[in-house]
Amino acid sequence: DGRIDNLDVPAGGFVTYEVVFDEPFSVTPKVFMEIMSNSNDTGYAAIQHIVSNVSATGFTAKIFNGNDGTLAPGLLWMAYGKK
């Protein structure tokens, strides 16, 4: 499991973040990811996220910002499977 803090995502744009597991899995794990923020800004409702390119060694996090201003969400993620 892990945490990624404050990814600056431009208005109407997206960012990608490559996550590498501390210890590789023996098979491709299942990965769950969620947005986090301490902000009360309602613009965070326009954030979408996708987990892609999952492998035994890591995955790609994609974060999309549908808001008209830059936002800086964090991500919490968890991977589970056979090591």
Side-chain angles (χ1 to χ4, degrees), residues 1 3 7-8 21 31 33 42 45-46 50 61 77 79 82:
D1 60 342
R3 176 180 174 148
L7 292 170
D8 286 330
F21 302 134
V31 176
M33 184 172 68
T42 58
I50 295 172
W77 62 266
K82 192 173 186 177

Side-chain angles (χ1 to χ4, degrees):
D1 60 342
R3 176 180 174 148
I4 304 162
D5 290 318
N6 303 323
L7 292 170
D8 286 330
V9 187
F14 71 96
V15 297
T16 59
Y17 188 90
E18 300 299 323
V19 174
V20 176
F21 302 134
D22 290 336
E23 181 182 337
F25 289 82
S26 61
V27 296
T28 301
K30 293 185 177 16
V31 176
F32 297 92
M33 184 172 68
E34 193 57 62
I35 297 291
M36 66 174 195
S37 175
N38 290 325
S39 175
N40 292 325
D41 185 339
T42 58
Y44 279 85
I47 294 285
Q48 298 291 321
H49 60 289
I50 295 172
V51 172
S52 65
N53 302 324
V54 180
S55 72
T57 58
F59 69 95
T60 302
K62 295 182 181 180
I63 304 89
F64 302 87
N65 178 0
N67 192 27
D68 60 0
T70 297
L71 296 173
L75 301 172
L76 295 173
W77 62 266
M78 179 177 69
Y80 77 92
K82 192 173 186 177
K83 289 204 174 185

